Amino acid sequence: MAFLQNEKEKWEYILLVNSFGLLLSSEIKCDINAIIFVMCLPKPTWQVSGIRDYDKLKKNSVVRGASMNKVFIIDGENFSNFKGFCKEFSNVVLSGKYEWNEGLDAFNDILCGGFGDIEFGEEYTIIWKNSAKSKRDLGYGETIIKLNEILKNCHPTNKESVIQEIRDAKMNKGPTIFDWIEEIILDNENVTLIIE
């Protein structure tokens, strides 16, 4: 694959072609023969579950996933809090046909399909652009707000554990809303997540 300038481009190019069936990056320069060559390779199934950099890509290159599936792009520039993320997700992934009400159990159910333009069990890809901004926006401050909402409605036997989660979040310890969302998406085998 000498037609690409370096090893990183080779991996990116194969990943993009096999994940989406088309070239998505204008940064990778090649001619039509290169595209035909790669398209004629056996179609491995690729997924980029939360891969944030090239080193992880090379280490975890071939994993479960789907080729030729629907692609939805969530852009961290379009929201700055959890409510905004829910609206962005509803507009993009659910095609504005349904509104996700911020429940994390419901989020998991929605990811399985049967809502918007996604059939139940259909494989699709979510690309999360500007995720570094989202990680900050959906960090401990938003997590504390969400945990306080959960505390108001949780079963009495769960109150102490939610209170402990709030204490931890106030000390910047434990998972954040961003982490919860990422984990829920990655737990769904029909969804491929690309973090950019």
Side-chain angles (χ1 to χ4, degrees), residues 183-195:
E183 182 180 351
I184 292 168
I185 294 172
L186 295 177
D187 282 347
N188 280 271
E189 292 187 8
N190 61 311
V191 184
T192 298
L193 176 64
I194 298 175
I195 301 283

Side-chain angles (χ1 to χ4, degrees), residues 1-5 9-10 12-18 21-23 28-41:
M1 300 194 70
F3 55 83
L4 296 175
Q5 294 178 9
E9 286 183 354
K10 177 175 105 175
E12 287 177 344
Y13 182 76
I14 292 174
L15 173 77
L16 290 170
V17 168
N18 284 294
L22 56 113
L23 184 61
I28 298 172
K29 307 287 189 243
C30 61
D31 63 24
I32 191 66
N33 293 326
I35 293 172
I36 292 168
F37 172 73
V38 174
M39 292 298 280
C40 291
L41 290 173

Side-chain angles (χ1 to χ4, degrees), residues 19-55:
S19 291
F20 309 117
L22 56 113
L23 184 61
L24 295 178
S25 176
S26 61
E27 295 173 17
I28 298 172
K29 307 287 189 243
C30 61
D31 63 24
I32 191 66
N33 293 326
I35 293 172
I36 292 168
F37 172 73
V38 174
M39 292 298 280
C40 291
L41 290 173
K43 286 189 175 180
T45 56
W46 295 78
Q47 182 191 24
V48 194
S49 298
I51 290 174
R52 293 172 178 80
D53 58 24
Y54 169 66
D55 295 329

